[in-house]
Structures are given as structure tokens and as C-alpha cells.
Amino acid sequence: MQYGEFAYIYDRLIHADIDYDKWCDYIENFFAAHECEPQTICELACGTGNITSRLVKRGYDITGVDISADMLTAAADKLHGTRLICCDMSRFATHEKFDAALCMIDGINYVLLPEALQKTFNNVSGFLSEDGIFIFDISTEYTLK
């Protein structure tokens, strides 16, 4: 899905519905609970960079990945110097190793085919460091109704 002009108004529309700071607190609490102190993070489906920008401010080195060039262009306005990669998360593979991977705010729900979901998980497994951690959330059919 490409967002086109919607990417440029996305933040204004969604801002009231999502507390990004609480999401970042949750992520950091999850790290602490699992005794993980990541320095490098890959955020899949980073969108306009609302989680990314807050975690960068908290001192993390983040690479953002999103399928939408439009969303990444909007993200670049707030993420000066942060590496952003336009790629389908089921196809994103790298030899770089990350301490953690994230796919927040229902990003996994955009992977519609079971084989693409398996490929996404395999790719994440390939680019996580040995003790790396993958945090994601997913909406269930009940939630979507």
C-alpha cells in the first residue's frame, strides 16, 4: 500500500489516537524486563517516524524501514541523519546485525500472506544479533471488528 498524499496528513489524523511516548515507555520496559540494552534497532513499518523519532531522542541508533516512500519522506522531516530504507518488510534482509527489531502499532497486520509473514520473521531472525529481541504487536480479528 502506498500512501501518497495521505502520508503528509497522517500525523495530524492519528496523533490524538496514539500515545507514542507511552509506546516508547512500553518498549523500554520490555527491554528492561528481558535484560536487554540495545544500542542498534531496526524498526519495520516505521511510517512517518513517530516511534523512531522518540527513541532516537532517548539515545538509540535506529534504522527505519517502510514500504511507502511517501511515509519515509514525511519521516525524514523529523529524523535528520537517521537511516531510512524504502522496502517491503517481508523482503528486507541485511548482513548488518541489530540488537533489537520493532514493528509497532499493528505494522505486522500489513503482511497479508502467511508465506510473507514467515519470510518477515526469517529475515528478522537473520539480522538480529545473537541475543537480539523482536518486539511487535498485532491486532486480532476481534479488535479489528
Side-chain angles (χ1 to χ4, degrees):
M1 167 191 286
Q2 297 298 317
Y3 284 88
E5 292 185 21
F6 178 69
Y8 303 98
I9 61 168
Y10 175 85
D11 286 343
R12 285 184 284 165
L13 292 174
I14 205 76
H15 182 71
D17 294 335
I18 299 172
D19 187 334
Y20 293 104
D21 291 314
K22 281 190 180 180
W23 270 104
C24 291
D25 292 342
Y26 172 81
I27 291 165
E28 289 191 315
N29 288 334
F30 198 92
F31 289 155
H34 291 85
E35 299 177 355
C36 179
E37 297 180 8
Q39 299 302 306
T40 58
I41 299 173
C42 179
E43 184 184 5
L44 302 173
C46 69
T48 62
N50 291 313
I51 297 281
T52 313
S53 62
R54 284 163 173 82
L55 290 176
V56 165
K57 287 179 184 172
R58 295 181 187 203
Y60 298 98
D61 177 13
I62 302 186
T63 296
V65 176
D66 200 279
I67 194 171
S68 170
D70 297 310
M71 295 293 263
L72 291 174
T73 298
D77 291 340
K78 58 183 110 160
L79 292 168
H80 305 288
T82 299
R83 185 168 54 156
L84 300 172
I85 299 170
C86 188
C87 187
D88 180 325
M89 74 176 97
S90 69
R91 295 186 178 144
F92 179 68
T94 179
H95 295 292
E96 184 174 352
K97 294 294 182 184
F98 293 92
D99 300 323
L102 306 173
C103 189
M104 308 310 299
I105 311 177
D106 307 325
I108 289 289
N109 284 82
Y110 289 92
V111 181
L112 301 178
L113 300 173
E115 55 273 9
L117 184 61
Q118 183 64 56
K119 180 109 172 92
T120 300
F121 289 148
N122 289 344
N123 288 344
V124 170
S125 177
F127 65 68
L128 279 178
S129 62
E130 186 175 325
D131 295 326
I133 190 167
F134 182 29
I135 302 171
F136 65 93
D137 68 306
I138 190 165
S139 287
T140 63
E141 184 177 349
Y142 174 80
T143 303
L144 295 173
K145 285 182 182 181

